[in-house]
Amino acid sequence: MITIVDYAINNLHSVQNAFRSLKIPSRISQDPETIRSASKLILPGVGAFADAMENLRSRKLVELLREKAADGTPLLGLCLGLQLLFSESEEFGPVAGLGCIPGRVRKLPPEVQVPHIGWNQLHLRRSDPLLEGVTEGSFVYFVHSYYADPVDAGHVVATTDYGIDFTAVTRKGNVWATQFHPEKSQDVGLRILRNFAGL
């Protein structure tokens, strides 16, 4: 079953409601054994990077999430969840992340208004099953002040532009992540969540 990781900082119920609208079973849990048994994981998130990492540590989920990523379990990070999957963030930092995807989380440039809130277009850089049926230029919904900068450009699946071009969708093996909120991105976002469920 798809398990949505609860670490007391994230956007849980809107994600579960999106799966419910797709008639796809999901559950919310912070229990390590429930998360260990999950066939797929969602790491959602809204908030500050350091607080999120501390909450994951206090619930003994940091190493468990790394293990699940390493053992091939499909894992999808959403918004802050994407950022947590990277090596570190400069938000009040540097602060170490989960390290599933090599790279650094950086602040959006000073010439743009932050937080970045609103609809932006996806620019597809390569094909990927997560984006099956999603067309070039599709609009998705962002709320964030930081963006992920992967070490390996091969991990970038799609970008968007807001002052700069930055990673909107990333993938390394069985680990995917979106900087935007699929659960708030209407039909395009629901298509992405359905694709993840079908992986």
Side-chain angles (χ1 to χ4, degrees):
M1 179 181 287
I2 295 173
T3 299
I4 302 163
V5 179
D6 176 6
Y7 56 104
I9 200 171
N10 41 32
N11 192 32
L12 299 169
H13 294 288
S14 60
V15 177
Q16 188 173 48
N17 287 340
F19 281 115
R20 188 175 291 124
S21 75
L22 293 168
K23 297 182 170 48
I24 295 170
S26 66
R27 62 189 174 189
I28 295 170
S29 182
Q30 61 178 273
D31 174 61
E33 290 312 308
T34 300
I35 292 168
R36 192 182 306 279
S37 69
S39 60
K40 294 183 177 71
L41 288 171
I42 301 278
L43 184 64
V46 173
F49 190 100
D51 292 343
M53 285 302 300
E54 179 56 36
N55 286 3
L56 288 172
R57 273 192 295 273
S58 70
R59 287 161 176 76
K60 304 190 185 327
L61 298 179
V62 170
E63 289 305 320
L64 176 55
L65 288 171
R66 288 171 177 160
E67 289 169 15
K68 292 293 284 181
D71 75 10
T73 300
L75 192 163
L76 176 62
L78 309 179
C79 195
L80 178 62
L82 170 144
Q83 296 175 11
L84 295 172
L85 291 167
F86 277 74
S87 307
E88 65 177 19
S89 173
E90 63 183 34
E91 183 181 5
F92 303 112
V95 179
L98 293 169
C100 300
I101 303 173
R104 186 179 178 92
V105 175
R106 306 182 186 279
K107 189 163 189 177
L108 287 166
E111 61 267 22
V112 299
Q113 182 174 338
V114 293
H116 168 210
I117 302 175
W119 296 84
N120 275 67
Q121 289 180 291
L122 290 179
H123 304 299
L124 309 181
R125 300 303 183 214
R126 61 185 177 92
S127 62
D128 191 275
L130 186 71
L131 298 185
E132 183 181 349
V134 175
T135 58
E136 169 66 25
S138 293
F139 281 88
V140 289
Y141 188 75
F142 291 83
V143 182
H144 66 116
S145 299
Y146 291 79
Y147 69 96
D149 183 13
V151 169
D152 186 345
H155 294 152
V156 178
V157 176
T159 62
T160 195
D161 53 275
Y162 184 70
I164 57 171
D165 288 333
F166 63 85
T167 302
V169 183
T170 186
R171 177 188 181 184
K172 184 186 177 195
N174 54 291
V175 176
W176 288 262
T178 69
Q179 182 58 71
F180 56 90
H181 287 276
E183 75 281 7
K184 297 180 180 180
S185 296
Q186 300 182 354
D187 290 345
V188 173
L190 291 177
R191 178 62 185 253
I192 290 167
L193 294 177
R194 184 187 296 113
N195 288 343
F196 179 72
L199 291 171

